[in-house]
Amino acid sequence: MLQALQFVKHLGKTLHLTSSNLSTHHHLKLIYVVPAPRMKELNNQEFRPEDLLQLADSVDGFSLMTYDFSGPQNPGPSAPLSWIQYSLKTLLAAKGSASHGHSHMIFLGINFYGNDFLLSKGICVFLIFHILGAEM
């Protein structure tokens, strides 16, 4: 993971030095997409609060993937509110830091689809239904 974080830092700094085609005053930005916590043990997380602190100066924001909580192995809701709240609290809970000061950098990824789980002969099959803008 350390090499991946170093790459993201380097990419962010490079993009911040690169002007967009529209204006020399506007530099490119980097939003880093991160998985939501899946388990209670912070050491087993794919992206930890310490990682957020390490990257905060190199990226412009973090898109937290708060969707796909359930799957065919464990059918249920796609994004339960309690899990979203837990994910935010966990990600912003670095000890001995001002990580709450980075809350403005968090974007919640919200699913616009639902899963329909069908159990048949011990096998779980799921279908994905997308919500279209015209249906909202």
Side-chain angles (χ1 to χ4, degrees):
M1 181 70 162
L2 185 59
Q3 288 180 332
L5 294 179
Q6 292 301 324
F7 170 75
V8 172
K9 281 182 163 186
H10 178 71
L11 179 61
K13 289 178 182 178
T14 301
L15 289 174
H16 293 151
L17 294 173
T18 305
S19 298
S20 72
N21 290 337
L22 301 175
S23 169
T24 57
H25 300 300
H26 293 103
H27 297 281
L28 299 178
K29 297 185 183 289
L30 176 61
I31 305 298
Y32 188 54
V33 180
V34 298
R38 289 282 179 194
M39 53 201 74
K40 300 278 184 195
E41 301 85 28
L42 282 179
N43 292 338
N44 294 330
Q45 301 298 336
E46 294 178 27
F47 188 80
R48 299 168 302 157
E50 295 78 17
D51 299 329
L52 180 140
L53 292 175
Q54 189 174 355
L55 294 177
D57 292 334
S58 303
V59 303
D60 299 287
F62 298 92
S63 179
L64 183 61
M65 297 186 295
T66 49
Y67 46 84
D68 291 342
F69 176 78
S70 302
Q73 304 83 3
N74 186 23
S78 295
L81 185 56
S82 60
W83 176 60
I84 293 172
Q85 291 170 333
Y86 168 77
S87 297
L88 286 169
K89 287 178 186 174
T90 300
L91 194 57
L92 294 171
K95 292 182 180 171
S97 72
S99 61
H100 282 286
H102 295 104
S103 61
H104 69 281
M105 298 178 74
I106 307 289
F107 302 97
L108 288 182
I110 300 173
N111 61 313
F112 282 98
Y113 58 87
N115 296 322
D116 188 6
F117 298 100
L118 305 172
L119 294 174
S120 175
K121 297 180 185 176
I123 298 173
C124 183
V125 178
F126 72 101
L127 307 170
I128 297 177
F129 296 98
H130 296 273
I131 299 171
L132 303 177
E135 298 170 347
M136 294 179 71

